Amino acid sequence: MSESNLNLLTDEELLGRKKKAKSSQIISAVLIGFLVGIAVYSTINKGIGFFTFFPLFFVFLLIKNSSDLKNIEQEIKKRNLN
């Protein structure tokens, strides 16, 4: 979500988005760990191949989309809602 859209949210909506973003971040961390584990296991058993890089592609996508929480926390600090 862009910063301009975050400015339009009420305080309650912003805090609700923070809760959702935190739970989403936890799920992403578990998925990243699982996918890295698959890549390592595949590399150890069969060497470098398709199942080494395929899960790592999804890890890249998950990391790229994790900037939402940072933007929300910046907006909360601007509004002094700690």
Side-chain angles (χ1 to χ4, degrees):
M1 180 170 251
S2 68
E3 281 190 43
S4 62
N5 291 340
L6 290 175
N7 292 338
L8 301 175
L9 295 176
T10 64
D11 294 345
E12 294 82 21
E13 290 173 337
L14 189 63
L15 293 173
R17 293 266 175 131
K18 182 180 177 184
K19 282 185 179 181
K20 288 180 184 178
K22 279 198 175 205
S23 64
S24 174
Q25 188 179 29
I26 291 170
I27 292 169
S28 293
V30 170
L31 283 173
I32 288 171
F34 180 70
L35 291 171
V36 168
I38 289 172
V40 169
Y41 178 78
S42 172
T43 302
I44 290 172
N45 284 342
K46 298 181 182 179
I48 295 176
F50 176 73
F51 287 107
T52 300
F53 297 108
F54 187 67
L56 296 178
F57 172 73
F58 288 108
V59 168
F60 171 73
L61 292 177
L62 287 171
I63 290 172
K64 188 175 179 183
N65 291 331
S66 68
S67 65
D68 233 11
L69 182 61
K70 292 177 186 176
N71 292 337
I72 292 171
E73 287 179 346
Q74 287 176 351
E75 183 64 28
I76 288 174
K77 282 184 181 179
K78 282 183 191 175
R79 296 184 189 188
N80 293 324
L81 296 176
N82 298 330

PDB file of all heavy atoms in Angstrom, residues 1 6 9-26 68-77 81-82:
ATOM      1  N   MET A   1       0.844  -1.172   0.000  1.00  0.00           N
ATOM      2  CA  MET A   1       0.000   0.000   0.000  1.00  0.00           C
ATOM      3  C   MET A   1       0.887   1.231   0.000  1.00  0.00           C
ATOM      4  O   MET A   1       1.864   1.301   0.727  1.00  0.00           O
ATOM      5  CB  MET A   1      -0.910  -0.045   1.212  1.00  0.00           C
ATOM      6  CG  MET A   1      -1.830   1.130   1.327  1.00  0.00           C
ATOM      7  SD  MET A   1      -3.065   0.895   2.593  1.00  0.00           S
ATOM      8  CE  MET A   1      -4.465   0.686   1.566  1.00  0.00           C
ATOM      9  N   LEU A   6      -2.236   5.389   2.850  1.00  0.00           N
ATOM     10  CA  LEU A   6      -2.181   5.250   4.303  1.00  0.00           C
ATOM     11  C   LEU A   6      -2.603   6.544   4.985  1.00  0.00           C
ATOM     12  O   LEU A   6      -3.151   6.510   6.089  1.00  0.00           O
ATOM     13  CB  LEU A   6      -0.767   4.864   4.748  1.00  0.00           C
ATOM     14  CG  LEU A   6      -0.311   3.453   4.400  1.00  0.00           C
ATOM     15  CD1 LEU A   6       1.141   3.253   4.801  1.00  0.00           C
ATOM     16  CD2 LEU A   6      -1.180   2.414   5.065  1.00  0.00           C
ATOM     17  N   LEU A   9      -6.405   6.667   5.775  1.00  0.00           N
ATOM     18  CA  LEU A   9      -6.997   5.741   6.738  1.00  0.00           C
ATOM     19  C   LEU A   9      -7.207   6.412   8.092  1.00  0.00           C
ATOM     20  O   LEU A   9      -6.441   7.291   8.493  1.00  0.00           O
ATOM     21  CB  LEU A   9      -6.101   4.522   6.925  1.00  0.00           C
ATOM     22  CG  LEU A   9      -5.905   3.603   5.730  1.00  0.00           C
ATOM     23  CD1 LEU A   9      -4.910   2.517   6.073  1.00  0.00           C
ATOM     24  CD2 LEU A   9      -7.211   3.002   5.284  1.00  0.00           C
ATOM     25  N   THR A  10      -8.231   5.960   8.808  1.00  0.00           N
ATOM     26  CA  THR A  10      -8.420   6.434  10.182  1.00  0.00           C
ATOM     27  C   THR A  10      -7.404   5.730  11.084  1.00  0.00           C
ATOM     28  O   THR A  10      -6.750   4.767  10.678  1.00  0.00           O
ATOM     29  CB  THR A  10      -9.850   6.128  10.673  1.00  0.00           C
ATOM     30  OG1 THR A  10     -10.022   4.718  10.727  1.00  0.00           O
ATOM     31  CG2 THR A  10     -10.884   6.757   9.759  1.00  0.00           C
ATOM     32  N   ASP A  11      -7.311   6.198  12.315  1.00  0.00           N
ATOM     33  CA  ASP A  11      -6.372   5.605  13.262  1.00  0.00           C
ATOM     34  C   ASP A  11      -6.691   4.135  13.524  1.00  0.00           C
ATOM     35  O   ASP A  11      -5.790   3.294  13.580  1.00  0.00           O
ATOM     36  CB  ASP A  11      -6.374   6.381  14.583  1.00  0.00           C
ATOM     37  CG  ASP A  11      -5.831   7.791  14.434  1.00  0.00           C
ATOM     38  OD1 ASP A  11      -5.198   8.078  13.391  1.00  0.00           O
ATOM     39  OD2 ASP A  11      -6.034   8.600  15.360  1.00  0.00           O
ATOM     40  N   GLU A  12      -7.973   3.817  13.676  1.00  0.00           N
ATOM     41  CA  GLU A  12      -8.373   2.437  13.951  1.00  0.00           C
ATOM     42  C   GLU A  12      -8.066   1.525  12.756  1.00  0.00           C
ATOM     43  O   GLU A  12      -7.607   0.398  12.936  1.00  0.00           O
ATOM     44  CB  GLU A  12      -9.867   2.358  14.291  1.00  0.00           C
ATOM     45  CG  GLU A  12     -10.251   3.044  15.582  1.00  0.00           C
ATOM     46  CD  GLU A  12     -10.448   4.553  15.417  1.00  0.00           C
ATOM     47  OE1 GLU A  12     -10.685   5.007  14.281  1.00  0.00           O
ATOM     48  OE2 GLU A  12     -10.348   5.264  16.421  1.00  0.00           O
ATOM     49  N   GLU A  13      -8.335   2.031  11.562  1.00  0.00           N
ATOM     50  CA  GLU A  13      -8.044   1.234  10.370  1.00  0.00           C
ATOM     51  C   GLU A  13      -6.543   0.994  10.223  1.00  0.00           C
ATOM     52  O   GLU A  13      -6.120  -0.096   9.837  1.00  0.00           O
ATOM     53  CB  GLU A  13      -8.570   1.941   9.113  1.00  0.00           C
ATOM     54  CG  GLU A  13     -10.063   1.970   9.000  1.00  0.00           C
ATOM     55  CD  GLU A  13     -10.540   2.816   7.833  1.00  0.00           C
ATOM     56  OE1 GLU A  13      -9.788   3.701   7.381  1.00  0.00           O
ATOM     57  OE2 GLU A  13     -11.665   2.582   7.387  1.00  0.00           O
ATOM     58  N   LEU A  14      -5.758   2.010  10.544  1.00  0.00           N
ATOM     59  CA  LEU A  14      -4.309   1.890  10.440  1.00  0.00           C
ATOM     60  C   LEU A  14      -3.770   0.855  11.425  1.00  0.00           C
ATOM     61  O   LEU A  14      -2.924   0.030  11.072  1.00  0.00           O
ATOM     62  CB  LEU A  14      -3.653   3.252  10.673  1.00  0.00           C
ATOM     63  CG  LEU A  14      -2.176   3.352  10.386  1.00  0.00           C
ATOM     64  CD1 LEU A  14      -1.888   3.101   8.909  1.00  0.00           C
ATOM     65  CD2 LEU A  14      -1.667   4.727  10.770  1.00  0.00           C
ATOM     66  N   LEU A  15      -4.277   0.885  12.648  1.00  0.00           N
ATOM     67  CA  LEU A  15      -3.840  -0.106  13.639  1.00  0.00           C
ATOM     68  C   LEU A  15      -4.304  -1.512  13.258  1.00  0.00           C
ATOM     69  O   LEU A  15      -3.597  -2.489  13.508  1.00  0.00           O
ATOM     70  CB  LEU A  15      -4.350   0.287  15.026  1.00  0.00           C
ATOM     71  CG  LEU A  15      -3.723   1.563  15.608  1.00  0.00           C
ATOM     72  CD1 LEU A  15      -4.419   1.951  16.905  1.00  0.00           C
ATOM     73  CD2 LEU A  15      -2.234   1.419  15.810  1.00  0.00           C
ATOM     74  N   GLY A  16      -5.469  -1.613  12.647  1.00  0.00           N
ATOM     75  CA  GLY A  16      -5.945  -2.909  12.157  1.00  0.00           C
ATOM     76  C   GLY A  16      -5.057  -3.439  11.040  1.00  0.00           C
ATOM     77  O   GLY A  16      -4.756  -4.630  10.979  1.00  0.00           O
ATOM     78  N   ARG A  17      -4.632  -2.553  10.157  1.00  0.00           N
ATOM     79  CA  ARG A  17      -3.719  -2.951   9.075  1.00  0.00           C
ATOM     80  C   ARG A  17      -2.387  -3.415   9.641  1.00  0.00           C
ATOM     81  O   ARG A  17      -1.762  -4.323   9.102  1.00  0.00           O
ATOM     82  CB  ARG A  17      -3.477  -1.786   8.122  1.00  0.00           C
ATOM     83  CG  ARG A  17      -4.654  -1.376   7.333  1.00  0.00           C
ATOM     84  CD  ARG A  17      -4.659  -2.062   5.999  1.00  0.00           C
ATOM     85  NE  ARG A  17      -5.878  -1.734   5.302  1.00  0.00           N
ATOM     86  CZ  ARG A  17      -5.945  -1.316   4.071  1.00  0.00           C
ATOM     87  NH1 ARG A  17      -4.846  -1.209   3.369  1.00  0.00           N
ATOM     88  NH2 ARG A  17      -7.097  -1.029   3.531  1.00  0.00           N
ATOM     89  N   LYS A  18      -1.957  -2.784  10.730  1.00  0.00           N
ATOM     90  CA  LYS A  18      -0.686  -3.200  11.349  1.00  0.00           C
ATOM     91  C   LYS A  18      -0.799  -4.624  11.874  1.00  0.00           C
ATOM     92  O   LYS A  18       0.119  -5.428  11.686  1.00  0.00           O
ATOM     93  CB  LYS A  18      -0.304  -2.246  12.475  1.00  0.00           C
ATOM     94  CG  LYS A  18       1.021  -2.599  13.115  1.00  0.00           C
ATOM     95  CD  LYS A  18       1.393  -1.650  14.235  1.00  0.00           C
ATOM     96  CE  LYS A  18       2.693  -2.097  14.879  1.00  0.00           C
ATOM     97  NZ  LYS A  18       3.038  -1.262  16.027  1.00  0.00           N
ATOM     98  N   LYS A  19      -1.908  -4.956  12.508  1.00  0.00           N
ATOM     99  CA  LYS A  19      -2.104  -6.319  13.014  1.00  0.00           C
ATOM    100  C   LYS A  19      -2.090  -7.335  11.880  1.00  0.00           C
ATOM    101  O   LYS A  19      -1.459  -8.384  11.969  1.00  0.00           O
ATOM    102  CB  LYS A  19      -3.428  -6.425  13.775  1.00  0.00           C
ATOM    103  CG  LYS A  19      -3.393  -5.879  15.161  1.00  0.00           C
ATOM    104  CD  LYS A  19      -4.705  -6.148  15.856  1.00  0.00           C
ATOM    105  CE  LYS A  19      -4.695  -5.622  17.276  1.00  0.00           C
ATOM    106  NZ  LYS A  19      -5.951  -5.908  17.967  1.00  0.00           N
ATOM    107  N   LYS A  20      -2.801  -7.010  10.797  1.00  0.00           N
ATOM    108  CA  LYS A  20      -2.841  -7.916   9.655  1.00  0.00           C
ATOM    109  C   LYS A  20      -1.463  -8.063   9.017  1.00  0.00           C
ATOM    110  O   LYS A  20      -1.065  -9.159   8.616  1.00  0.00           O
ATOM    111  CB  LYS A  20      -3.833  -7.412   8.611  1.00  0.00           C
ATOM    112  CG  LYS A  20      -5.260  -7.556   9.014  1.00  0.00           C
ATOM    113  CD  LYS A  20      -6.195  -7.034   7.936  1.00  0.00           C
ATOM    114  CE  LYS A  20      -7.632  -7.084   8.390  1.00  0.00           C
ATOM    115  NZ  LYS A  20      -8.547  -6.537   7.375  1.00  0.00           N
ATOM    116  N   ALA A  21      -0.723  -6.962   8.941  1.00  0.00           N
ATOM    117  CA  ALA A  21       0.604  -7.005   8.328  1.00  0.00           C
ATOM    118  C   ALA A  21       1.567  -7.829   9.176  1.00  0.00           C
ATOM    119  O   ALA A  21       2.406  -8.556   8.640  1.00  0.00           O
ATOM    120  CB  ALA A  21       1.141  -5.595   8.128  1.00  0.00           C
ATOM    121  N   LYS A  22       1.441  -7.736  10.502  1.00  0.00           N
ATOM    122  CA  LYS A  22       2.319  -8.527  11.366  1.00  0.00           C
ATOM    123  C   LYS A  22       2.042 -10.017  11.219  1.00  0.00           C
ATOM    124  O   LYS A  22       2.968 -10.821  11.147  1.00  0.00           O
ATOM    125  CB  LYS A  22       2.170  -8.098  12.826  1.00  0.00           C
ATOM    126  CG  LYS A  22       2.959  -6.885  13.158  1.00  0.00           C
ATOM    127  CD  LYS A  22       3.139  -6.752  14.639  1.00  0.00           C
ATOM    128  CE  LYS A  22       4.054  -5.587  14.879  1.00  0.00           C
ATOM    129  NZ  LYS A  22       4.757  -5.680  16.122  1.00  0.00           N
ATOM    130  N   SER A  23       0.770 -10.399  11.177  1.00  0.00           N
ATOM    131  CA  SER A  23       0.460 -11.824  11.020  1.00  0.00           C
ATOM    132  C   SER A  23       0.886 -12.306   9.643  1.00  0.00           C
ATOM    133  O   SER A  23       1.368 -13.428   9.493  1.00  0.00           O
ATOM    134  CB  SER A  23      -1.022 -12.091  11.259  1.00  0.00           C
ATOM    135  OG  SER A  23      -1.803 -11.445  10.281  1.00  0.00           O
ATOM    136  N   SER A  24       0.742 -11.460   8.647  1.00  0.00           N
ATOM    137  CA  SER A  24       1.196 -11.808   7.305  1.00  0.00           C
ATOM    138  C   SER A  24       2.707 -11.970   7.265  1.00  0.00           C
ATOM    139  O   SER A  24       3.234 -12.841   6.571  1.00  0.00           O
ATOM    140  CB  SER A  24       0.750 -10.728   6.320  1.00  0.00           C
ATOM    141  OG  SER A  24       1.284 -10.960   5.061  1.00  0.00           O
ATOM    142  N   GLN A  25       3.411 -11.148   8.019  1.00  0.00           N
ATOM    143  CA  GLN A  25       4.869 -11.228   8.076  1.00  0.00           C
ATOM    144  C   GLN A  25       5.317 -12.537   8.724  1.00  0.00           C
ATOM    145  O   GLN A  25       6.291 -13.151   8.279  1.00  0.00           O
ATOM    146  CB  GLN A  25       5.423 -10.036   8.844  1.00  0.00           C
ATOM    147  CG  GLN A  25       6.919  -9.908   8.795  1.00  0.00           C
ATOM    148  CD  GLN A  25       7.415  -8.697   9.542  1.00  0.00           C
ATOM    149  OE1 GLN A  25       6.789  -8.254  10.509  1.00  0.00           O
ATOM    150  NE2 GLN A  25       8.522  -8.154   9.104  1.00  0.00           N
ATOM    151  N   ILE A  26       4.607 -12.990   9.723  1.00  0.00           N
ATOM    152  CA  ILE A  26       4.942 -14.255  10.382  1.00  0.00           C
ATOM    153  C   ILE A  26       4.734 -15.425   9.416  1.00  0.00           C
ATOM    154  O   ILE A  26       5.575 -16.323   9.308  1.00  0.00           O
ATOM    155  CB  ILE A  26       4.114 -14.436  11.674  1.00  0.00           C
ATOM    156  CG1 ILE A  26       4.560 -13.421  12.722  1.00  0.00           C
ATOM    157  CG2 ILE A  26       4.243 -15.847  12.216  1.00  0.00           C
ATOM    158  CD1 ILE A  26       3.670 -13.341  13.936  1.00  0.00           C
ATOM    159  N   ASP A  68       5.273  -3.567   3.222  1.00  0.00           N
ATOM    160  CA  ASP A  68       4.011  -3.004   3.699  1.00  0.00           C
ATOM    161  C   ASP A  68       4.069  -2.620   5.169  1.00  0.00           C
ATOM    162  O   ASP A  68       3.634  -1.538   5.553  1.00  0.00           O
ATOM    163  CB  ASP A  68       2.899  -4.019   3.491  1.00  0.00           C
ATOM    164  CG  ASP A  68       1.731  -3.457   2.740  1.00  0.00           C
ATOM    165  OD1 ASP A  68       1.850  -2.349   2.191  1.00  0.00           O
ATOM    166  OD2 ASP A  68       0.697  -4.136   2.692  1.00  0.00           O
ATOM    167  N   LEU A  69       4.595  -3.489   6.003  1.00  0.00           N
ATOM    168  CA  LEU A  69       4.645  -3.239   7.441  1.00  0.00           C
ATOM    169  C   LEU A  69       5.497  -2.026   7.756  1.00  0.00           C
ATOM    170  O   LEU A  69       5.150  -1.227   8.631  1.00  0.00           O
ATOM    171  CB  LEU A  69       5.161  -4.475   8.179  1.00  0.00           C
ATOM    172  CG  LEU A  69       5.219  -4.381   9.698  1.00  0.00           C
ATOM    173  CD1 LEU A  69       3.833  -4.136  10.269  1.00  0.00           C
ATOM    174  CD2 LEU A  69       5.811  -5.630  10.284  1.00  0.00           C
ATOM    175  N   LYS A  70       6.590  -1.838   7.037  1.00  0.00           N
ATOM    176  CA  LYS A  70       7.454  -0.681   7.286  1.00  0.00           C
ATOM    177  C   LYS A  70       6.721   0.621   7.009  1.00  0.00           C
ATOM    178  O   LYS A  70       6.818   1.571   7.792  1.00  0.00           O
ATOM    179  CB  LYS A  70       8.711  -0.769   6.419  1.00  0.00           C
ATOM    180  CG  LYS A  70       9.631  -1.883   6.805  1.00  0.00           C
ATOM    181  CD  LYS A  70      10.811  -1.956   5.872  1.00  0.00           C
ATOM    182  CE  LYS A  70      11.660  -3.179   6.164  1.00  0.00           C
ATOM    183  NZ  LYS A  70      12.750  -3.331   5.214  1.00  0.00           N
ATOM    184  N   ASN A  71       5.963   0.676   5.924  1.00  0.00           N
ATOM    185  CA  ASN A  71       5.209   1.881   5.594  1.00  0.00           C
ATOM    186  C   ASN A  71       4.132   2.165   6.637  1.00  0.00           C
ATOM    187  O   ASN A  71       3.908   3.316   7.011  1.00  0.00           O
ATOM    188  CB  ASN A  71       4.562   1.749   4.212  1.00  0.00           C
ATOM    189  CG  ASN A  71       5.575   1.735   3.107  1.00  0.00           C
ATOM    190  OD1 ASN A  71       6.686   2.226   3.258  1.00  0.00           O
ATOM    191  ND2 ASN A  71       5.203   1.172   1.973  1.00  0.00           N
ATOM    192  N   ILE A  72       3.476   1.118   7.114  1.00  0.00           N
ATOM    193  CA  ILE A  72       2.432   1.291   8.125  1.00  0.00           C
ATOM    194  C   ILE A  72       3.033   1.800   9.424  1.00  0.00           C
ATOM    195  O   ILE A  72       2.494   2.716  10.056  1.00  0.00           O
ATOM    196  CB  ILE A  72       1.671  -0.037   8.333  1.00  0.00           C
ATOM    197  CG1 ILE A  72       0.867  -0.374   7.078  1.00  0.00           C
ATOM    198  CG2 ILE A  72       0.763   0.035   9.551  1.00  0.00           C
ATOM    199  CD1 ILE A  72       0.249  -1.751   7.082  1.00  0.00           C
ATOM    200  N   GLU A  73       4.165   1.244   9.832  1.00  0.00           N
ATOM    201  CA  GLU A  73       4.797   1.690  11.077  1.00  0.00           C
ATOM    202  C   GLU A  73       5.284   3.129  10.977  1.00  0.00           C
ATOM    203  O   GLU A  73       5.228   3.879  11.954  1.00  0.00           O
ATOM    204  CB  GLU A  73       5.940   0.753  11.443  1.00  0.00           C
ATOM    205  CG  GLU A  73       5.448  -0.583  11.953  1.00  0.00           C
ATOM    206  CD  GLU A  73       6.561  -1.540  12.300  1.00  0.00           C
ATOM    207  OE1 GLU A  73       7.716  -1.298  11.915  1.00  0.00           O
ATOM    208  OE2 GLU A  73       6.255  -2.550  12.953  1.00  0.00           O
ATOM    209  N   GLN A  74       5.758   3.552   9.808  1.00  0.00           N
ATOM    210  CA  GLN A  74       6.159   4.942   9.622  1.00  0.00           C
ATOM    211  C   GLN A  74       4.963   5.886   9.780  1.00  0.00           C
ATOM    212  O   GLN A  74       5.072   6.938  10.407  1.00  0.00           O
ATOM    213  CB  GLN A  74       6.803   5.136   8.254  1.00  0.00           C
ATOM    214  CG  GLN A  74       8.181   4.566   8.139  1.00  0.00           C
ATOM    215  CD  GLN A  74       8.734   4.689   6.733  1.00  0.00           C
ATOM    216  OE1 GLN A  74       8.032   5.048   5.798  1.00  0.00           O
ATOM    217  NE2 GLN A  74      10.006   4.354   6.574  1.00  0.00           N
ATOM    218  N   GLU A  75       3.822   5.485   9.233  1.00  0.00           N
ATOM    219  CA  GLU A  75       2.625   6.321   9.350  1.00  0.00           C
ATOM    220  C   GLU A  75       2.144   6.378  10.790  1.00  0.00           C
ATOM    221  O   GLU A  75       1.696   7.434  11.275  1.00  0.00           O
ATOM    222  CB  GLU A  75       1.518   5.778   8.438  1.00  0.00           C
ATOM    223  CG  GLU A  75       0.274   6.595   8.410  1.00  0.00           C
ATOM    224  CD  GLU A  75       0.469   7.996   7.843  1.00  0.00           C
ATOM    225  OE1 GLU A  75       1.377   8.197   7.007  1.00  0.00           O
ATOM    226  OE2 GLU A  75      -0.295   8.904   8.250  1.00  0.00           O
ATOM    227  N   ILE A  76       2.262   5.285  11.533  1.00  0.00           N
ATOM    228  CA  ILE A  76       1.872   5.276  12.934  1.00  0.00           C
ATOM    229  C   ILE A  76       2.771   6.205  13.747  1.00  0.00           C
ATOM    230  O   ILE A  76       2.308   6.927  14.626  1.00  0.00           O
ATOM    231  CB  ILE A  76       1.878   3.825  13.487  1.00  0.00           C
ATOM    232  CG1 ILE A  76       0.706   3.049  12.911  1.00  0.00           C
ATOM    233  CG2 ILE A  76       1.831   3.806  15.008  1.00  0.00           C
ATOM    234  CD1 ILE A  76       0.687   1.583  13.258  1.00  0.00           C
ATOM    235  N   LYS A  77       4.062   6.222  13.437  1.00  0.00           N
ATOM    236  CA  LYS A  77       4.972   7.123  14.129  1.00  0.00           C
ATOM    237  C   LYS A  77       4.645   8.585  13.812  1.00  0.00           C
ATOM    238  O   LYS A  77       4.742   9.444  14.686  1.00  0.00           O
ATOM    239  CB  LYS A  77       6.418   6.823  13.739  1.00  0.00           C
ATOM    240  CG  LYS A  77       6.980   5.622  14.426  1.00  0.00           C
ATOM    241  CD  LYS A  77       8.438   5.433  14.085  1.00  0.00           C
ATOM    242  CE  LYS A  77       8.991   4.206  14.749  1.00  0.00           C
ATOM    243  NZ  LYS A  77      10.405   3.983  14.429  1.00  0.00           N
ATOM    244  N   LEU A  81       0.857   7.258  17.419  1.00  0.00           N
ATOM    245  CA  LEU A  81      -0.108   6.275  17.909  1.00  0.00           C
ATOM    246  C   LEU A  81       0.559   5.106  18.644  1.00  0.00           C
ATOM    247  O   LEU A  81      -0.083   4.101  18.901  1.00  0.00           O
ATOM    248  CB  LEU A  81      -0.929   5.708  16.743  1.00  0.00           C
ATOM    249  CG  LEU A  81      -1.820   6.685  16.004  1.00  0.00           C
ATOM    250  CD1 LEU A  81      -2.479   5.997  14.829  1.00  0.00           C
ATOM    251  CD2 LEU A  81      -2.868   7.250  16.927  1.00  0.00           C
ATOM    252  N   ASN A  82       1.797   5.213  18.969  1.00  0.00           N
ATOM    253  CA  ASN A  82       2.516   4.109  19.612  1.00  0.00           C
ATOM    254  C   ASN A  82       1.731   3.655  20.772  1.00  0.00           C
ATOM    255  O   ASN A  82       1.439   2.797  21.271  1.00  0.00           O
ATOM    256  CB  ASN A  82       3.907   4.536  20.067  1.00  0.00           C
ATOM    257  CG  ASN A  82       4.760   4.969  18.897  1.00  0.00           C
ATOM    258  OD1 ASN A  82       4.593   4.481  17.800  1.00  0.00           O
ATOM    259  ND2 ASN A  82       5.647   5.874  19.158  1.00  0.00           N
TER     260      ASN A  82
END
